[in-house]
Amino acid sequence: MSTESATPTPGTVRPGGRTARTRSAVRDAVLTGLAEHGYPGLTVEYVAERSGIHKTTVYRRWGSVEGLVADALDLAGEDAWTPPDTGNLEDDLRALAREVTETFGSVPAAAAPTAFIAAAFQSERAAQALRDFYTERFARCESVVRRAVDRGEAPSGTDAAAVVRAVSAPLFFRALITREPIDTPLADQTAAAVTAAVRAGAYLPAHR
């Protein structure tokens, strides 16, 4: 099929300039709606009213609630966030773990991101957008491990991706699966445990 005649999937076009404000307003409305009503209660009509963007425009650009959620995640992944760089592996991992507790450690803060995760279980398009978001976010964090290898804090060949996921995984499990509280001491404990495992070579290819 010719790319000139193909119609782009709603919610996948990345507008710039003046229309970027429209996208931002819609994204904010999606976040508010997810926090207040969850994915099942989110509607195009709600987003249109909340954002001040005409419903026809929302339908034309995003197509559906799935498109709105996917684009909100895409927009979140375009931010300028960078991982910590304290000069020490454990401190960097501790900072990453603490960010997870800040995001999921309280009901108000966790409302929107938890709703995104819930949406991923109900929509394959939302699931793909969520995978893409975390793949990109974790990829940014791998520099923490690469710097540690360069400083001699971690063995050469350490699997940076596995280390980054290991720091987050226990916190995600408690926050999203067992619904137990997570806090700063737990984040620090997790970072210390992963740092010890890194230094012991647990994330070298032979140990996987």
Side-chain angles (χ1 to χ4, degrees):
M1 178 187 294
S2 169
T3 56
E4 293 181 358
S5 62
T7 300
T9 302
T12 61
V13 177
R14 300 177 185 275
R18 183 174 59 185
T19 55
R21 292 193 294 272
T22 296
R23 189 181 181 205
S24 180
V26 167
R27 183 250 188 182
D28 290 345
V30 170
L31 291 176
T32 301
L34 287 173
E36 292 181 352
H37 306 293
Y39 182 72
L42 185 67
T43 65
V44 171
E45 289 74 17
Y46 172 92
V47 172
E49 181 178 355
R50 181 85 187 189
S51 66
I53 307 301
H54 197 279
K55 181 173 66 175
T56 302
T57 300
V58 177
Y59 271 114
R60 184 175 68 250
R61 292 186 179 174
W62 287 273
S64 65
V65 169
E66 284 186 312
L68 288 165
V69 170
D71 194 53
L73 280 165
D74 285 346
L75 190 56
E78 294 172 15
D79 64 10
W81 180 88
T82 57
D85 184 5
T86 66
N88 175 274
L89 176 62
E90 183 169 351
D91 288 343
D92 284 348
L93 296 181
R94 184 183 298 115
L96 289 175
R98 287 184 178 187
E99 285 199 29
V100 176
T101 64
E102 290 170 4
T103 301
F104 292 95
S106 69
V107 173
T114 300
F116 274 125
I117 293 169
F121 284 92
Q122 301 174 65
S123 161
E124 178 52 38
R125 188 171 176 194
Q128 184 59 57
L130 189 69
R131 284 194 292 270
D132 291 344
F133 172 80
Y134 275 110
T135 296
E136 195 277 337
R137 187 54 52 104
F138 284 144
R140 295 191 207 183
C141 295
E142 290 177 19
S143 61
V144 165
V145 182
R146 290 194 292 269
R147 289 194 299 263
V149 171
D150 291 342
R151 292 191 299 261
E153 292 183 89
S156 179
T158 295
D159 187 333
V163 173
V164 170
R165 284 162 173 75
V167 172
S168 303
L171 302 171
F172 282 144
F173 182 84
R174 288 176 65 109
L176 302 172
I177 305 301
T178 62
R179 307 296 292 171
E180 297 175 82
I182 57 175
D183 54 21
T184 297
L186 179 64
D188 293 351
Q189 181 187 62
T190 302
V194 173
T195 301
V198 169
R199 291 169 176 163
Y203 295 100
L204 291 172
H207 289 79
R208 296 188 64 196

